Amino acid sequence: WLRDGGDPLISDTTDLNTLPGFPTTPTTPGGSQSLEIIKYTVFVGSLKAGAMEELSFYLRASTLGLRAVCCQLRYIVEVEGELCPSVSFQVLQLEVVPPFTFTSALRNKELHETKQVVADDYFLVVPEVCCISPHPIVLSGSRIECRAPVV
């Protein structure tokens, strides 16, 4: 389950699921209901000694910041014919970072970088998008909006 790590809107901004891509957008599970009540349960079954079982959880966040995912495993171990129930609990903390950086620079007629533009002189705006995600990003469009001159 997701744990509120100081983000009061975590149920609106983060989706935790056992299926990839479902749902496609974060939703509010139960409105003001506590997130600890909304839990994903996956049954592993029995494991033989030395065996391993892998489970996948998918997290999608629409805002940046720290997310905490609580994982709890309840199990029973048989020791000398006696059943011993136990619980293992782990909190995974994940930092959500932007998938790209966006910067821009101004260049004068000689294509040297500048910090100011002189009136009635031409200049070039050079935007730069750098993908820092391990997954490709599709740029679906871009535009520049110019304001009317201030007189």
Side-chain angles (χ1 to χ4, degrees):
W1 67 87
L2 287 170
R3 187 180 74 184
D4 183 358
D7 180 3
L9 302 175
I10 194 164
S11 62
D12 292 329
T13 62
T14 308
D15 179 51
L16 178 67
N17 210 311
T18 56
L19 301 172
F22 181 81
T24 56
T25 57
T27 58
T28 303
S32 62
Q33 187 176 7
S34 171
L35 276 179
E36 290 198 7
I37 296 172
I38 309 298
K39 296 181 181 184
Y40 292 95
T41 304
V42 179
F43 295 99
V44 176
S46 297
L47 287 177
K48 295 183 180 185
M52 184 177 75
E53 179 77 26
E54 188 174 291
L55 302 172
S56 296
F57 289 92
Y58 300 89
L59 185 132
R60 180 171 187 228
S62 61
T63 59
L64 306 178
L66 191 64
R67 300 297 190 280
V69 179
C70 301
C71 298
Q72 179 178 324
L73 176 66
R74 295 183 203 165
Y75 58 98
I76 299 173
V77 176
E78 187 175 344
V79 179
E80 298 177 0
E82 187 175 335
L83 298 179
C84 303
S86 191
V87 175
S88 177
F89 182 78
Q90 184 176 9
V91 177
L92 307 170
Q93 293 197 358
L94 309 165
E95 184 71 28
V96 178
V97 297
F100 60 89
T101 59
F102 179 76
T103 57
S104 61
L106 293 175
R107 299 198 183 267
N108 59 22
K109 282 195 281 189
E110 291 81 32
L111 300 179
H112 297 155
E113 192 166 332
T114 183
K115 296 292 180 195
Q116 66 184 38
V117 178
V118 179
D120 295 327
D121 204 0
Y122 291 101
F123 64 95
L124 178 65
V125 177
V126 182
E128 183 178 280
V129 178
C130 179
C131 179
I132 56 176
S133 169
H135 309 287
I137 294 176
V138 176
L139 300 176
S140 58
S142 63
R143 70 176 188 225
I144 187 168
E145 293 181 17
C146 298
R147 290 184 175 177
V150 178
V151 283

